[in-house]
Amino acid sequence: MSFIIKCLDCGHNAPYYPTSTTCPKCNSQWREAEYDYEIIGKTLRSKLAKRRSGLWRYRELLPVRNPNVSLSLGEGGTPLIRAVNLGMMLGCPNIYIKDERQGPTSSFKDRQASVTIAALKEAGITEMVAASTGNVAISYSAYASRAGMKLWAFVTSLVPAVKMREIALYGSQVIKITGSYDQCKQVASEFARQRNLYQDMGARTITSIEAMKTIAFEISEQMTAIQDPDAEVDAPWRTPDWYVQAISGGMGPIGVYKGFREMKQMGWTDRIPAFAPIQAEGCAPMVNSWKKGLEKAEPVTSPMTRIETLATGDPGRAYEFLREYVNSTNGVFESVPDEDAFRAMHVLAKMEGISAEPAAGVAFAGLFKLIRAGIIKPSDTVVVNCTGHTMPADPSILGDNWSRDVKFPSVDATPQEGLLSALSQVAPERFPKIAIVEDTTEARRLIRRILQSQGNFTILEAVNGREGLELIQRELPDLVILDLMMPEMDGFTVIEALRANPETATIPVIVATAKELTQDEKSRLGGQIQALMQKGDFLNDEFLEEVKALIK
Ligand SMILES: *Cc1c(COP(=O)(O)O)cnc(C)c1O
Ligand SMILES: [Zn+2]
């Protein structure tokens, strides 16, 4: 395994020692690993077929001389999942989720911790310091325990108690700092300096950047396997159009960018995706600085977000690197309010079966925003990094009415009466009836799913206009959701028939259509329907509010 450490400031090359964290020539802390891309580029891909899934399958491109299998917890190799429902909902069908929740401690920090601890172990280090907003410390703690290392974990007092307990559970010393995350990092640095202990340096840690780049390798390898399963072994790998990630210090995208850059350099792919780093509005120094066109980041001194995982107020030089990557790939920085992140988490869970933590919700809220703004185009292929799992659901996500309280009646009722009464409190006897008339199976499923996940309705379905009309006349639903372009009988004809019959004339109709309507078509609908929804609009809360308002 041959690689060198190159200084990003003066270009000096030095051999790698995990404990030497600065350039011996100019003292810069910004350095990166360089490999023999010529040889590895030609030889590694043909070896991959025989290797197990996981981050170490790319070991020739990692800064660990002898990967120690006994430290591994199965890091990397997380699935790339097609988000079919979200894609339909947003009118952007090629959305993929890199599911980093499936790492050993449920966040993408497992890559960083596994590679860093392996390198430290190889160098004989037995004690280290890390400042963390939670996940880094959890992950380092798990790997440190396997490596027989002690971790001093500095966390801010805002880190959720469940996360702190998990850090302690692995045997790390938790040090709770009442102050901002940037202050917490300062205390940790000072502690490490005084005791002469190795300290994690975030985006300046060579092993961390190297670990994160495996996300890029996996995305391209997996995307090729999904989209082009019969490709020749040496055919170029696929690259998405976008890489979207919620960021704090920016280590993830800096590493992922390096991964894409190396693949391109080795001829494995022919391009690098556009980068879209997303921050929480209450702590968005990089987004704000980028939007102002600044070359250096203006720090945020008092972060105002409840999403502690993303509370880096002073990104330092990481911003300068990311700014260059975002600009050179025609990407964007974007920020979203906490509420949008909580809502996005909820949508992701309901539509894709993926329960993520609020920080990952920020990435999805950013995705929604960029699609709505037309920056991410409907035909673009997007990979969103689902960076971490959820902690027990925060009350602010669910609102008030997510459970029903059931009280049994007084003691003298019979058990049967008691049970019936209890059941009647669980749900009323009759739910509002909604008829979905839509010829595309996926669209029917999507509308059904949206309705089911937001309220209790009896849902009836018909697959074309003629069946739909019969269904409506028979069942007299409280609301009809109608497609326009359908075989047998189109939506326009259905509406005219409904309006002509006194029994159905007043049933409200929401038209849901994938196409842009012409002026002529709009006037044909005029006055006869209650709402018009383009299919990309379904995510809007408006859709459900419309439904609820019409049903009353
Ligand atoms: C650390 C973390 C982030 C931010 O990562 P960076 O790339 O270091 O900015 C996002 N989401 C989760 C879940 C994290 O743990
Ligand atoms: Zn240097």
Side-chain angles (χ1 to χ4, degrees):
M1 200 142 313
S2 69
F3 59 95
I4 42 123
I5 304 302
K6 180 180 183 135
C7 176
L8 293 172
D9 285 310
C10 76
H12 178 75
N13 288 336
Y16 177 56
Y17 302 104
T19 47
S20 103
T21 52
T22 54
C23 169
K25 205 165 157 206
C26 76
N27 244 5
S28 168
Q29 293 185 325
W30 292 91
R31 303 183 306 150
E32 67 179 25
E34 263 194 11
Y35 303 80
D36 190 340
Y37 297 115
E38 184 88 19
I39 293 181
I40 298 172
K42 288 205 188 87
T43 53
L44 180 53
R45 276 179 56 187
S46 60
K47 294 179 189 160
L48 292 178
K50 295 201 201 72
R51 291 190 181 173
R52 295 166 42 154
S53 125
L55 158 168
W56 299 104
R57 66 198 265 103
Y58 312 106
R59 58 182 167 263
E60 284 82 349
L61 292 166
L62 290 171
V64 175
R65 292 178 177 89
N66 296 298
N68 182 339
V69 287
S70 67
L71 293 182
S72 174
L73 283 164
E75 50 281 354
T78 59
L80 186 68
I81 299 166
R82 177 105 186 251
V84 179
N85 292 331
L86 265 191
M88 285 234 310
M89 200 159 152
L90 295 163
C92 181
N94 297 308
I95 298 172
Y96 292 85
I97 298 172
K98 183 63 175 155
D99 191 7
E100 290 292 295
R101 297 174 314 153
Q102 298 197 39
T105 74
S106 313
S107 87
F108 79 143
K109 301 300 194 315
D110 289 325
R111 295 181 191 263
Q112 167 187 13
S114 61
V115 175
T116 303
I117 298 274
L120 294 178
K121 174 93 178 162
E122 203 165 69
I125 290 160
T126 57
E127 205 166 323
M128 72 173 285
V129 174
S132 170
T133 52
N135 291 344
V136 170
I138 289 172
S139 194
Y140 269 123
S141 296
Y143 286 93
S145 84
R146 298 181 71 78
M149 283 172 59
K150 176 178 175 74
L151 175 75
W152 298 87
F154 288 75
V155 295
T156 72
S157 47
L158 295 176
V159 169
V162 272
K163 289 197 178 185
M164 289 199 200
R165 287 197 293 272
E166 195 174 350
I167 300 168
L169 180 68
Y170 291 118
S172 297
Q173 177 61 57
V174 177
I175 297 153
K176 208 196 295 185
I177 307 289
T178 305
S180 71
Y181 178 44
D182 295 305
Q183 290 166 329
C184 171
K185 281 195 276 198
Q186 283 161 15
V187 181
S189 283
E190 188 48 28
F191 177 86
R193 198 189 59 77
Q194 283 181 8
R195 303 208 165 201
N196 197 25
L197 295 178
Y198 174 86
Q199 187 198 356
D200 178 74
M201 301 292 282
R204 289 161 295 173
T205 309
I206 286 164
T207 40
S208 299
I209 297 299
E210 295 306 293
M212 289 301 179
K213 80 187 186 187
T214 59
I215 294 173
F217 299 163
E218 289 178 14
I219 288 173
S220 280
E221 194 181 359
Q222 290 170 324
M223 185 162 276
T224 308
I226 294 170
Q227 296 185 341
D228 194 6
D230 300 322
E232 300 287 329
V233 253
D234 53 356
W237 278 351
R238 301 281 173 116
T239 308
D241 296 302
W242 288 91
Y243 173 73
V244 182
Q245 193 205 300
I247 60 158
S248 182
M251 175 185 53
I254 292 178
V256 172
Y257 181 89
K258 185 169 190 267
F260 281 114
R261 195 190 73 205
E262 286 181 347
M263 285 192 285
K264 189 170 167 229
Q265 195 171 342
M266 294 185 294
W268 294 4
T269 58
D270 48 21
R271 62 196 182 115
I272 297 176
F275 272 61
I278 317 290
Q279 294 196 292
E281 225 167 63
C283 183
M286 300 212 225
V287 181
N288 299 340
S289 303
W290 183 76
K291 290 190 172 173
K292 287 186 193 167
L294 302 178
E295 282 176 19
K296 291 193 193 309
E298 256 173 23
V300 168
T301 42
S302 25
M304 298 282 287
T305 169
R306 278 179 283 168
I307 305 175
E308 183 58 19
T309 307
L310 303 180
T312 300
D314 184 1
R317 246 180 106 182
Y319 167 69
E320 294 163 50
F321 290 105
L322 266 185
R323 175 174 182 267
E324 186 190 318
Y325 304 159
V326 166
N327 289 344
S328 67
T329 59
N330 292 317
V332 281
F333 281 93
E334 193 50 274
S335 61
V336 295
D338 288 2
E339 283 63 35
D340 287 10
F342 293 142
R343 202 172 303 133
M345 262 174 88
H346 206 181
V347 167
L348 183 66
K350 286 187 296 192
M351 301 311 293
E352 297 294 346
I354 291 177
S355 170
E357 69 172 88
V362 164
F364 287 90
L367 170 79
F368 300 166
K369 190 168 175 181
L370 295 176
I371 290 177
R372 285 208 189 116
I375 294 169
I376 292 180
K377 304 269 180 307
S379 59
D380 287 349
T381 300
V382 186
V383 172
V384 185
N385 189 333
C386 184
T387 43
H389 75 143
T390 188
M391 288 294 138
D394 187 290
S396 50
I397 303 160
L398 295 173
D400 295 333
N401 294 316
W402 54 275
S403 78
R404 285 215 159 78
D405 295 335
V406 173
K407 291 195 189 68
F408 270 77
S410 64
V411 277
D412 35 299
T414 67
Q416 185 62 16
E417 278 166 1
L419 189 62
L420 288 176
S421 149
L423 280 174
S424 71
Q425 296 170 51
V426 177
E429 247 157 53
R430 182 186 178 278
F431 294 126
K433 268 192 223 170
I434 301 182
I436 305 172
V437 185
E438 162 69 65
D439 64 320
T440 335
T441 314
E442 295 78 38
R444 275 201 311 276
R445 194 192 57 206
L446 176 70
I447 297 170
R448 187 173 59 220
R449 184 69 201 128
I450 293 174
L451 294 170
Q452 281 171 341
S453 66
Q454 305 275 347
N456 293 316
F457 304 107
T458 298
I459 295 169
L460 313 165
E461 296 178 27
V463 301
N464 61 49
R466 193 183 40 73
E467 272 190 26
L469 187 58
E470 283 166 16
L471 176 80
I472 297 165
Q473 285 165 345
R474 190 171 65 238
E475 298 283 344
L476 301 175
D478 299 277
L479 174 71
V480 174
I481 296 176
L482 182 68
D483 187 15
L484 287 180
M485 297 304 130
M486 288 181 292
E488 309 248 351
M489 180 188 286
D490 69 14
F492 296 102
T493 317
V494 173
I495 293 169
E496 278 149 24
L498 290 179
R499 295 308 174 230
N501 175 346
E503 272 208 296
T504 57
T506 59
I507 297 176
V509 174
I510 295 180
V511 164
T513 173
K515 66 177 278 245
E516 284 287 338
L517 295 188
T518 63
Q519 205 46 52
D520 190 39
E521 287 167 333
K522 279 190 188 146
S523 54
R524 255 185 100 185
L525 289 176
Q528 305 205 73
I529 63 162
Q530 278 59 45
L532 175 66
M533 290 283 155
Q534 305 286 121
K535 279 176 189 157
D537 285 345
F538 283 158
L539 193 52
N540 283 338
D541 294 338
E542 270 166 55
F543 174 63
L544 272 149
E545 268 149 36
E546 204 76 64
V547 167
K548 286 180 186 156
L550 288 173
I551 276 176
K552 277 189 185 143

